[in-house]
Amino acid sequence: MTTNPAELAAQPYSGEKARLSRHFDYLILVLAFFLYIGSFHLNVALTVGDWDFWLDWKDRQWWPLITPLMMITFPAAVQSLLWERFRLPMGATLCMCCLLIGSWITRVFAYHYWNYFPINMVLPATMLPSALVLDVILMLTNSMTFTAIFGSAAFALLFYPSNWPMFGMFHVPVEYGGAQLTIADLFGFQYIRAGMPEYLRIIERGTLRTYGQYATPLASFFSALLCTLMYTLWWHLGKWFATVRYLKKI
Amino acid sequence: MLKRLGFLGCVLTTLAAGISVAHAHGEKALEPFIRMRTIQWYDVSWSNPTVEVNDAVTVTGRFHVAEDWPIGVPKPEAAYLNISVPGPVMIRTERYLNGQPWTNSVALRPGADYDFKVVLKARVPGRYHIHPFFNLKDAGPVMGPGRWIEIGGDAAAFSNPVKTLGGEVIDMESYGLATGVMWHGLWLLVGLAWLLWWISRPLFFPRYKMLEAGREAELVTPLDRRIAKVILVAVPVVVLGANAMAQNAYPNTIPLQAALDHIDPLEPVVNTGAVQVKILRAEYRVPGRSMAMTAQIFNGTGHPIRIGEFATAGLRFINAVAVVPSQDETDHLTAAAGLHLDNDAPIQPGERRTVMISATDAIWETEKLDGLIRDADSRLGGLLFFYDDAGQRYITSSSVAVIPRFD
């Protein structure tokens, strides 16, 4: 039987101990998978909410500001636990994979099959590229401070370009009712949402447009700044709430 | 055991017997004074109650924005004419206010008159109860009258082609879906590969013990570092490259549109001054489910007129004695002979008469409008419809405080 060299390097146990410890790994992984699908998904639904649910909320100002800011929370806390205690640089990626799987389950079953919305109208945004970069920056620097400054900035700045290949095409203009609309706006007009009148959209509001039409980069850099603070806060939250007291007894 | 099973069976049967399909949209939940004194709907009609998938249904109607707008409700500075449906079983292809197409929200003017038209396209087969209604910013939804619509056919046959400004014809049902799935799938694969790379080796106990033992260097290997460096470079390169390609593929994109539409009201239709009404007193008689109004009416038209209808909050009380234009009066919101006067003789031109008007029917209670007497703002509002011998219609909007009578 061949053995992975990496496994040899990181295995202090052998025999039954190693087998039991591996079973414990699987148990925790399965629990973590469902825990993060549920909790992180709920957190994003309550904070990012409509900006992630609907095409016609994905604007140039609020979407790139709110989404990274609210989506860096759980990754920071989980990174804190997994890196500080286990040197596992996968906290952010794990959270984002769980979030994305949970989002897709919801969009397909709740929005499409249950409520008849076409799936393309409720496509979620992705933050997986940002999460991968956040994880590897933490791993390569082994520094919370460095990751908070540069990793969080990269996390926010990569958000819009990561998603534009998916959502740019929905900003193609159409003429409708004597006015120009994006295809995303048209989705909002045509596919009726009784509880979502147009005026509820928090889009394109604010003073960022005073810098010309370059609202997106400004919103992204502002988000990057806020993400450094949010990352630090949630890193410490993760640290405070996570405990290894039971591991110490084994 | 058998007894327990029997009991459980009884409980489940009772519960199942009580299950019914919900048909309402919360239209009775809004406080009566808001339903009566904000958007006053009339002449609402549907083109066709039975359609096939891809067929059009047109909803038309009129509404008056009440002058006596409740002080507790923000003024309608942003309002959105919506359709109450259980999800997009129909799509909205066109919408007009006073003949002008509009897609965003609009400011309405209290005291003004509007007509509307909404064209829907059937999408999902089924039987649905559909209302036009107004979402009023910071106030809530004010429902118009509803109607059952039956959609037949095959949902898979639905298509929604739209032409972009660049001339491309797209199907809204599938546009962009493959691209979205491809990018999500790609990043998910990369993310799962990164996770798999780490979880394929012993995790929690061994790594914790080794970290505690100061063997940290063994936990992250040189190969791990090389892969991390590749990710650190490759991910931004792919992201920025894909972003540049998307910008090249769609060079003419625009931001989401967030303007407030501006639409002028119609020439006055309600309260034109030809007929003037002042309601002097209104009493709601709880046991009789009857609103008794004492109204002073002045006929400024050149013809004798009669009161034909009182309408409020989507309810219609018809005076069977008067001549009323033919409209669909089969729905449960219409009391076909629910309006009674103490004097049915026509009001002559130039005459000022005080009339006792009674709007009586159980729909006050079933539609929960009798709750007006327990509202913080217990003022009644509604439209009175007058007709002359030639069928000409005159409409007034009035309001008055309501006194309850419990005997």
Side-chain angles (χ1 to χ4, degrees), chain A residues 9 22 25 86-87 89 115-116 120 124 169 171 173 176 185 187 189-191 198-199 201 247 250, chain B residues 88 92-93 105 123 160 165 172-173 175 184 194 199 201 203-205 207 209 216 218 252 254 257:
Chain A
R22 195 63 182 142
D25 289 345
F86 308 103
R87 285 295 183 266
N115 283 302
Y116 310 117
N120 50 355
M169 60 202 303
H171 286 249
Y176 215 78
D185 291 313
F187 267 103
F189 174 75
Q190 287 194 329
Y191 291 83
E198 184 276 333
Y199 59 71
R201 294 189 298 168
L247 283 181
I250 295 173
Chain B
R92 175 175 36 222
T93 55
S105 304
R123 182 166 174 257
N160 184 17
L165 273 185
M172 298 282 279
E173 292 285 301
Y175 181 72
H184 273 296
W194 177 246
I199 65 177
R201 59 186 85 176
L203 292 177
F204 302 109
F205 284 132
R207 294 183 76 90
K209 291 289 181 191
E216 179 181 355
E218 298 172 42
N252 296 316
I254 59 169
Q257 300 298 293

Side-chain angles (χ1 to χ4, degrees), chain A residues 55 66 92 199 241 245:
Chain A
L55 278 181
I66 300 288
Y199 59 71
F241 282 102
R245 95 173 69 141

Side-chain angles (χ1 to χ4, degrees), chain A residues 4 6-7 9-13 20-22 24-26 28-29 55-60 82-90 93-94 96-97 100-101 104 112 115-120 123-126 128-130 132-133 135-137 139-142 158 160-162 164-199 201 203-205 244 247-248 250, chain B residues 78-80 82-95 101-105 120 123-124 128 133 135-140 158 160 162-166 168 170-177 179-181 183-184 187-192 194-195 198-212 215-216 218-221 224-229 231-232 235-236 239-240 242-243 246-247 250 252-260:
Chain A
N4 183 347
E7 189 172 317
Q11 177 59 290
Y13 301 139
L20 280 175
S21 131
R22 195 63 182 142
F24 181 76
D25 289 345
Y26 292 136
I28 294 297
L29 283 172
L55 278 181
D56 59 337
W57 275 69
K58 291 179 167 58
D59 72 331
R60 300 176 304 172
L82 291 185
W83 183 252
E84 289 238 304
R85 303 298 187 182
F86 308 103
R87 285 295 183 266
L88 280 170
M90 60 177 205
T93 309
L94 176 65
M96 286 307 165
C97 284
L100 209 54
I101 290 167
W104 270 97
H112 180 60
N115 283 302
Y116 310 117
F117 289 103
I119 298 175
N120 50 355
L123 275 179
T126 183
L128 261 171
S130 302
L132 283 162
V133 169
D135 273 342
V136 299
I137 286 181
M139 177 188 149
L140 292 172
T141 63
N142 191 16
L158 281 174
Y160 206 82
S162 302
W164 191 249
M166 277 190 281
F167 296 106
M169 60 202 303
F170 293 104
H171 286 249
V172 169
V174 294
E175 183 181 341
Y176 215 78
Q180 72 162 355
L181 296 179
T182 65
I183 291 172
D185 291 313
L186 190 57
F187 267 103
F189 174 75
Q190 287 194 329
Y191 291 83
I192 299 168
R193 294 167 298 194
M196 174 67 71
E198 184 276 333
Y199 59 71
R201 294 189 298 168
I203 59 161
E204 298 292 336
R205 293 181 199 171
V244 286
L247 283 181
K248 288 179 191 290
I250 295 173
Chain B
Y80 190 83
N82 217 331
I83 298 291
S84 180
V85 283
V89 295
M90 312 181 92
I91 65 164
R92 175 175 36 222
T93 55
E94 297 169 54
R95 183 178 59 172
W102 60 307
T103 50
N104 288 338
S105 304
L120 306 167
R123 182 166 174 257
V124 179
Y128 309 106
F133 75 102
N135 293 105
L136 302 176
K137 189 176 182 185
D138 299 330
F158 181 78
N160 184 17
V162 166
K163 192 175 185 180
T164 68
L165 273 185
E168 185 190 2
I170 61 168
D171 184 0
M172 298 282 279
E173 292 285 301
S174 58
Y175 181 72
L177 181 60
T179 308
V181 169
W183 280 111
H184 273 296
W187 288 120
L188 197 58
L189 274 180
V190 177
L192 290 175
W194 177 246
L195 293 182
W198 290 99
I199 65 177
S200 63
R201 59 186 85 176
L203 292 177
F204 302 109
F205 284 132
R207 294 183 76 90
Y208 177 74
K209 291 289 181 191
M210 291 175 71
L211 194 60
E212 290 288 291
R215 296 168 61 191
E216 179 181 355
E218 298 172 42
L219 295 176
V220 178
T221 66
D224 294 334
R225 292 187 168 279
R226 278 201 297 278
I227 290 174
K229 285 173 188 167
I231 288 176
L232 187 60
V235 166
V239 164
L240 296 176
N243 180 60
Q247 286 184 351
Y250 304 100
N252 296 316
T253 56
I254 59 169
L256 296 180
Q257 300 298 293
L260 188 70

Side-chain angles (χ1 to χ4, degrees), chain A residues 26-183:
Chain A
Y26 292 136
L27 181 68
I28 294 297
L29 283 172
V30 170
L31 289 175
F33 177 70
F34 286 108
L35 175 70
Y36 294 140
I37 282 185
S39 57
F40 190 29
H41 187 210
L42 179 66
N43 180 60
V44 169
L46 291 175
T47 53
V48 183
D50 292 312
W51 281 290
D52 197 51
F53 296 155
W54 311 106
L55 278 181
D56 59 337
W57 275 69
K58 291 179 167 58
D59 72 331
R60 300 176 304 172
Q61 295 188 43
W62 292 92
W63 182 48
L65 174 65
I66 300 288
T67 313
L69 185 61
M70 290 297 129
M71 285 198 186
I72 203 168
T73 53
F74 271 53
V78 177
Q79 270 194 342
S80 156
L81 168 71
L82 291 185
W83 183 252
E84 289 238 304
R85 303 298 187 182
F86 308 103
R87 285 295 183 266
L88 280 170
M90 60 177 205
T93 309
L94 176 65
C95 286
M96 286 307 165
C97 284
C98 290
L99 173 66
L100 209 54
I101 290 167
S103 295
W104 270 97
I105 290 171
T106 313
R107 305 302 157 91
V108 171
F109 290 99
Y111 285 75
H112 180 60
Y113 285 117
W114 194 6
N115 283 302
Y116 310 117
F117 289 103
I119 298 175
N120 50 355
M121 183 182 178
V122 292
L123 275 179
T126 183
M127 291 228 60
L128 261 171
S130 302
L132 283 162
V133 169
L134 192 66
D135 273 342
V136 299
I137 286 181
L138 177 64
M139 177 188 149
L140 292 172
T141 63
N142 191 16
S143 161
M144 189 281 281
T145 309
F146 199 91
T147 309
I149 296 170
F150 296 100
S152 302
F155 187 85
L157 293 174
L158 281 174
F159 169 70
Y160 206 82
S162 302
N163 284 281
W164 191 249
M166 277 190 281
F167 296 106
M169 60 202 303
F170 293 104
H171 286 249
V172 169
V174 294
E175 183 181 341
Y176 215 78
Q180 72 162 355
L181 296 179
T182 65
I183 291 172

